[in-house]
Amino acid sequence: MHSRWTRINWQLDDGNEHFKLVDLQWVRSFNPPVIFVFGGPGAGKASMCFKFRIHYGVSYFSMGQLLREEAREPTKRGREIAKYVHSQPTQKVPLELVMDVLRDMMIKLVAAQKPIFVQGFPRDFAQAVQYEKEIAPLKHAIFVDTTEKTAIQRLVNRNKLAGRFEDEVNVVRLRREAFQRDVLPIVENLLNEGRVQKVDGNGSMQQTYLQALEVYIKWMRRHWKHINNHNARLDESNPNYAREIIMREQTASEKEAEKSFPTTHYIGPLLH
């Protein structure tokens, strides 16, 4: 049985930690789709999510980035996470800490009532099971499938620009092995249940994005059809009608960021 309440902690300038109880029913009854993006290192997950965010205004977060940000916070939870992010980078952050951070972010994002893209979660069956136990079933997922050759080529090229240790060839292979060991079984299980749509990530970023966009539009059609109760204004015979409803203009800063994309925004997953 679901626990209805969750505890959110934070620290004020007085140095003391405080908390409040938040009703998780808000998250469980969230109507727009929560879309989990799977893919090995070099699949272009962050690039794809970023394009959805700037073109469609969706909510988006990377679990790895959230954990790194939390590790910098002067709270008890932040200090615990920092032990794994900084001192034990080859070990996973414990499940209970990951779920705490995830719940906090989900509660913040559901208020916007926009589709949510989640990258870097779940990273193993334990996280997937806990999410479905506490929050909701994993109904929508996109798997960006790439070959090892494509992944290594992309990350080695990126490493020339960014100088990231996790993009070195030997580390890329270790990260890919971790993905195949821990995450791919989740993807295969969801594929068997029809809850994952696979897209080819071996082409250009734009080609991958357009494949994912068709999947997204299909899901949004269902969403809009549901909330409008077959509203006659929605012309389902027009394949672009969902796109017309939800697409928005980019801001000047977003257009500028996209010019140097993806090297400016991407930090990368924790090494497992």
Side-chain angles (χ1 to χ4, degrees), residues 24-32 110 113 135-136:
L24 275 177
Q25 191 61 34
W26 292 354
V27 179
R28 297 181 187 129
S29 60
F30 183 63
N31 192 27
V110 295
Q113 287 297 305
I135 301 176

Side-chain angles (χ1 to χ4, degrees), residues 53-58 114 246-251 254:
R53 185 176 71 81
I54 63 176
H55 288 297
Y56 288 88
V58 303
K114 297 178 180 180
I246 58 182
M247 194 166 187
R248 68 175 179 84
E249 289 294 321
Q250 291 176 254
T251 65
E254 288 170 344

